[in-house]
Amino acid sequence: LTEDQAAQVKDLYQSFEQEFNEARKKIGEQMQEITQEYQENRDPTVFQDLTRKMVDFQQSTEKQQKALYDDIRLLLNDKQA
């Protein structure tokens, strides 16, 4: 990679990392809330919502990763691709 390309990849990755960390923090908070709700009510159905949220988190992460890789590919010249 050229210096310019490397700098752009670094910026793209930092943006991806920030978005991922925010999403991870959010799902962590949701997990704590659901766990607390279960401890208070002993209703196992609350975990159904957690499962859905975890699947959504996984799908969102995969979508973000794909977008990152696609953006990096756009930076490459013909010889690099």
Side-chain angles (χ1 to χ4, degrees):
L1 296 176
T2 66
E3 286 184 32
D4 186 48
Q5 287 172 318
Q8 290 177 353
V9 168
K10 183 178 178 181
D11 289 344
L12 288 169
Y13 180 76
Q14 287 174 340
S15 176
F16 164 80
E17 186 176 40
Q18 180 180 355
E19 289 178 29
F20 174 79
N21 286 335
E22 289 171 4
R24 184 178 61 185
K25 180 180 177 186
K26 182 178 176 182
I27 194 70
E29 290 169 353
Q30 292 172 339
M31 289 173 65
Q32 287 178 339
E33 291 171 5
I34 289 171
T35 300
Q36 183 177 357
E37 184 178 341
Y38 173 74
Q39 289 174 347
E40 291 171 2
N41 301 328
R42 297 293 181 204
D43 179 9
T45 62
V46 298
F47 290 108
Q48 292 173 348
D49 190 40
L50 177 61
T51 301
R52 183 186 54 79
K53 290 179 182 199
M54 291 298 295
V55 168
D56 290 346
F57 172 74
Q58 178 69 28
Q59 290 174 344
S60 174
T61 299
E62 289 172 0
K63 183 178 177 182
Q64 288 174 325
Q65 285 176 331
K66 183 182 180 321
L68 173 65
Y69 297 145
D70 289 345
D71 289 345
I72 290 172
R73 272 191 219 102
L74 291 174
L75 297 174
L76 302 177
N77 62 38
D78 290 340
K79 287 184 178 182
Q80 294 168 324

